[in-house]
Amino acid sequence: MFCTNCGKDLPPETKICPNCGFALSIPEKERPTKGAMQPSSNFYGDGYPDATGENKYNKPLTTAQFFFLQLLFMIPVVNLFFIFFWSLKRHTNKNLKAYSRSILIWLAIASVFSIFALLTFTFMRTPLPFNVFSMRINF
């Protein structure tokens, strides 16, 4: 077998030429058939389609699934577990992962604003040791 790019003599099982790096064409007998299950370049899962021929990690969530997700996220302690679980789990539906991560970001933003509001109201209730308008110190 010879490289079609540089012409170097290659062993018969070679798929990439070690001399020039050219990817050799796959012989017809090694090509997978059209109906065979082939892995996709999906980062989120095993890359194989389910029985319907669709990759289960790329399948869009239905309206009912979103409804029950929102219902689940309203339960106080359970929601935190599932938000972190689906946000960090590697083999999960990428739409569910993105939705969980967005909820996690909103929770982080709400926590920062809550802490800021708590500190603001705490210091507002404590009187200042001096009168701001007359600049006299009150003891």
Side-chain angles (χ1 to χ4, degrees), residues 79-98:
N79 65 357
L80 291 175
F81 171 76
F82 281 109
I83 287 170
F84 280 105
F85 179 72
W86 285 324
S87 295
L88 303 173
K89 186 179 175 193
R90 184 167 182 230
H91 297 291
T92 188
N93 185 307
K94 71 177 187 175
N95 297 309
L96 178 60
K97 181 181 274 195

Side-chain angles (χ1 to χ4, degrees), residues 35 37 48-56 59:
M37 306 239 316
Y48 290 96
D50 60 1
T52 62
E54 194 173 357
N55 190 327
K56 66 181 179 179
K59 196 181 295 184

